Amino acid sequence: MTRILKNYIGGKWVASSNKKLVDNVNPATGELICKAPRSTEAEAARAVEAAAKAFEKWRLVPAPKRGEILYRAARILERKKKELARILTMEMGKVTAEAEGDVQEAIDTAYYTAGEGRRLFGETTHSELPNKAMMSVRCPYGVVALISPWNFPVAIPAWKGFPALVCGNAVVFKPSTDTPLTAYTFVRILEEAGVPKGVMNLVFGSGGEVGKVFCTHPTVNVIGFTGSTETGVEIDRMAAPLNKIISKEMGGKNGIIVMDDADLELAVDGIIWSAFGTSGQRCTAASRVIAHKKIVKKL
């Protein structure tokens, strides 16, 4: 029987009311891995509301204690690295070594960010007025929406999600429709690590429905997006009227510059890896080489 994934809203795994499902297919074999819901706008809104409710308690948890949860997440990710990498490869086709590297980035990010729980310093400064003290403290924004792509389906949610969590924000997460099982497993790990109910919410679905709610809901204060330039422009259009803070990582046109005094063997290795590693499916992949005229033929 085909597995049907559920959303994670307010600390509960709940089936979507929408009976339309998206097939999750292994790109190498055509095998059906599982099905994910095409969640409704109402379900996305419920996730935002659950995050907003959980935020009121989570923001009061001392930052070092929030960091301890991420330490536990790092250890679980280490223990389940091969399992998670296998799921990642099965869903989106990245070779095993690169899939394990994807998970390792999440492990490294978890350890690093956990330490930030003890480094959320403010500032003090001298006042120009007598008998006055001036200081600043760091405060969380509230609800942070993460919209992530298929090409780094563990590393990118970790890069964006772990800093949000350690700083006391609550998260709503919409993964790519191509990698739902990876996202499901990632969130289960955070649940196991002890992230409180409602602090991390997972909603499967399309950008036109779930993503739209995350961009236009007045309770979402920050949007972290990785994907196409076209979608990033649309996010700006929807979110700008509400003055949301937006972090976007979109497509690039990356050139490798090779000068006439370069080690050409090293340059060639770098060019091949950058252009063809991960099958070129990443925003930092080189798509052109700019070579000095003295060495261009030899290169």
Side-chain angles (χ1 to χ4, degrees):
M1 186 174 180
T2 302
R3 182 180 187 181
I4 299 175
L5 301 180
K6 296 180 179 180
N7 294 320
Y8 187 59
I9 299 175
K12 295 181 180 179
W13 293 98
V14 291
S16 173
S17 62
N18 189 355
K19 301 307 178 185
K20 293 181 180 179
L21 300 171
V22 179
D23 289 347
N24 180 25
V25 176
N26 184 321
T29 66
E31 174 194 2
L32 180 63
I33 300 168
C34 63
K35 293 176 180 282
R38 182 165 181 157
S39 303
T40 65
E41 292 185 13
E43 287 162 341
R46 280 202 297 275
V48 173
E49 290 154 11
K53 182 179 179 181
F55 166 70
E56 294 303 324
K57 289 185 178 180
W58 179 240
R59 68 183 180 88
L60 300 177
V61 174
K65 294 296 183 183
R66 298 194 295 256
E68 288 172 9
I69 293 174
L70 290 182
Y71 273 123
R72 289 198 292 272
R75 290 195 290 268
I76 297 168
L77 282 164
E78 284 182 319
R79 190 173 75 243
K80 297 186 175 182
K81 179 178 177 178
K82 289 189 179 298
E83 174 192 347
L84 187 52
R86 182 186 60 80
I87 293 169
L88 195 157
T89 291
M90 184 171 61
E91 283 196 305
M92 54 76 68
K94 186 177 290 187
V95 297
T96 300
E98 291 178 1
E100 291 184 0
D102 198 315
V103 179
Q104 186 61 48
E105 289 191 36
I107 294 167
D108 296 342
T109 302
Y111 277 125
Y112 180 86
T113 309
E116 290 300 298
R118 297 183 181 273
R119 290 190 293 268
L120 292 180
F121 307 130
E123 293 181 343
T124 61
T125 187
H126 293 288
S127 173
E128 61 189 28
L129 300 174
N131 303 317
K132 301 291 182 183
M134 298 177 63
M135 62 179 289
S136 65
V137 295
R138 295 180 181 271
C139 298
Y141 283 109
V143 178
V144 174
L146 305 183
I147 302 172
S148 69
W150 60 270
N151 61 339
F152 285 84
V154 177
I156 289 175
W159 296 340
K160 297 176 185 294
F162 292 167
L165 291 173
V166 82
C167 290
N169 301 284
V171 173
V172 290
F173 172 31
K174 190 203 89 64
S176 167
T177 54
D178 290 320
T179 51
L181 187 57
T182 301
Y184 167 86
T185 308
F186 177 75
V187 172
R188 286 298 299 263
I189 287 170
L190 295 182
E191 182 186 32
E192 182 181 344
V195 174
K197 293 180 179 181
V199 172
M200 169 61 75
N201 301 271
L202 171 67
V203 185
F204 298 107
S206 70
E209 293 166 316
V210 176
K212 176 184 175 183
V213 170
F214 288 177
C215 292
T216 57
H217 199 294
T219 306
V220 175
N221 296 312
V222 180
I223 300 168
F225 167 75
T226 303
S228 71
T229 300
E230 293 79 4
T231 302
V233 169
E234 183 64 13
I235 287 173
D236 277 344
R237 187 191 66 77
M238 291 188 289
L242 294 171
N243 274 335
K244 296 182 186 293
I245 296 168
I246 307 172
S247 168
K248 296 183 300 179
E249 184 184 8
M250 302 183 292
K253 183 67 175 173
N254 305 299
I256 292 181
I257 300 173
V258 185
M259 298 304 293
D260 57 343
D261 61 347
D263 179 334
L264 295 189
E265 288 191 8
L266 183 62
V268 168
D269 283 345
I271 291 165
I272 291 171
W273 165 243
S274 180
F276 300 106
T278 329
S279 298
Q281 295 297 322
R282 58 181 175 210
C283 56
T284 54
S287 53
R288 55 188 173 145
V289 177
I290 304 162
H292 194 285
K293 61 183 179 182
K294 290 183 178 179
I295 53 90
V296 65
K297 289 184 179 179
K298 187 175 181 183
L299 178 66

